[in-house]
Amino acid sequence: MNEQEIIDLLKKMGAIITDSHVVYTSGQHGETYVNKYAIYPHVREMLEVCEGIAVQFANNGIEVVIAPALGGIILSQWVAYHLIDIMGSKVLSIYAEKADDGESFIIKPCHAKLLAGKKTLVVDDVLTPGDTAKKVVEAARAAGGNVIGLGVLWNLCDVTPQDVADVPELFALVNTTLAAWDAEKCPLCRQGVPVNTDVGRGKEYLARGL
């Protein structure tokens, strides 16, 4: 599937919100939002998009696929499934979860044992701007994994390999940057367009009285 086909598929799944006024994780404002949580319930479609990531890394000898919990677990499972089918060899699927500090990511000891010394693929959904993916890459390396690359559904912020802990390869099914403005320069704010509080950080933004 090419980029436009992926975008059309995500629109069909209700994952792309347009003509809105959203606040991104970065604090900037925009009119388009990729709602990753709308993607995961659609099993057959998830199967298709994960195959695209698996194909990209099929010649890298991947032994373990890891993703951030919770939604990323689905990505990890399906990408590993396709890699098994393509390569004809064993591929494990594990996940990293947030530590008690709510910021860093950790890998449970039972999973860390499976990861150590293995060629590892990190997968994530949307890079905005990629902090979560970077932390999972770092956690995988700390556990002894040999991180081969990072595969994602959508790179929204022109994230580079250097931005995500210098991964050897960064691959995204879609590389399209959405228009975004600082709050004080947002044309939607000037026009009085209501902030969307259902997705993004709109609710937090309004709670701060900004």
Side-chain angles (χ1 to χ4, degrees):
M1 301 177 74
N2 59 38
E3 281 198 357
Q4 189 55 54
E5 289 173 332
I6 294 291
I7 292 173
D8 290 342
L9 182 61
L10 294 178
K11 286 180 178 178
K12 181 180 177 181
M13 296 158 70
I16 300 178
I17 298 170
T18 58
D19 301 320
S20 186
H21 182 184
V22 295
V23 179
Y24 301 125
T25 303
S26 65
Q28 291 185 306
H29 293 208
E31 57 187 354
T32 303
Y33 188 82
V34 180
N35 183 13
K36 60 187 181 181
Y37 299 109
I39 301 171
Y40 293 115
H42 302 274
V43 178
R44 185 173 294 278
E45 289 82 357
M46 280 298 301
L47 186 66
E48 291 183 47
V49 296
C50 287
E51 183 178 15
I53 296 175
V55 168
Q56 179 66 25
F57 293 94
N59 296 321
N60 292 86
I62 301 299
E63 298 171 282
V64 180
V65 181
I66 183 171
L70 292 170
I73 296 174
I74 299 172
L75 281 174
S76 177
Q77 287 278 319
W78 280 127
V79 172
Y81 170 85
H82 284 299
L83 285 171
I84 293 169
D85 192 47
I86 296 168
M87 301 191 310
S89 58
K90 185 176 182 179
V91 181
L92 302 176
S93 168
I94 63 174
Y95 61 88
E97 57 187 331
K98 280 193 175 181
D100 291 338
D101 61 14
E103 294 295 330
S104 58
F105 276 77
I106 59 172
I107 301 170
K108 291 182 178 181
C110 59
H111 283 173
K113 292 177 182 178
L114 301 174
L115 183 65
K118 298 293 196 306
K119 291 183 178 180
T120 304
L121 173 63
V122 178
V123 294
D124 201 359
D125 37 46
V126 180
L127 296 184
T128 57
D131 290 343
T132 296
K134 178 182 178 181
K135 291 172 183 177
V136 175
V137 169
E138 292 171 340
R141 285 175 174 161
N146 175 18
V147 177
I148 300 299
L150 168 64
V152 302
L153 300 183
W154 198 318
N155 185 352
L156 272 172
C157 296
D158 290 327
V159 175
T160 68
Q162 291 70 38
D163 296 326
V164 282
D166 292 310
V167 290
E169 180 179 357
L170 168 57
F171 170 74
L173 290 170
V174 180
N175 290 278
T176 302
T177 303
L178 303 180
W181 312 279
D182 293 335
E184 60 273 15
K185 298 180 180 179
C186 175
L188 302 174
C189 287
R190 289 200 293 265
Q191 295 167 20
V193 178
V195 172
N196 189 328
T197 57
D198 294 329
V199 296
R201 298 297 176 87
K203 188 177 294 185
E204 293 92 328
Y205 175 79
L206 293 178
R208 294 197 303 270
L210 299 175

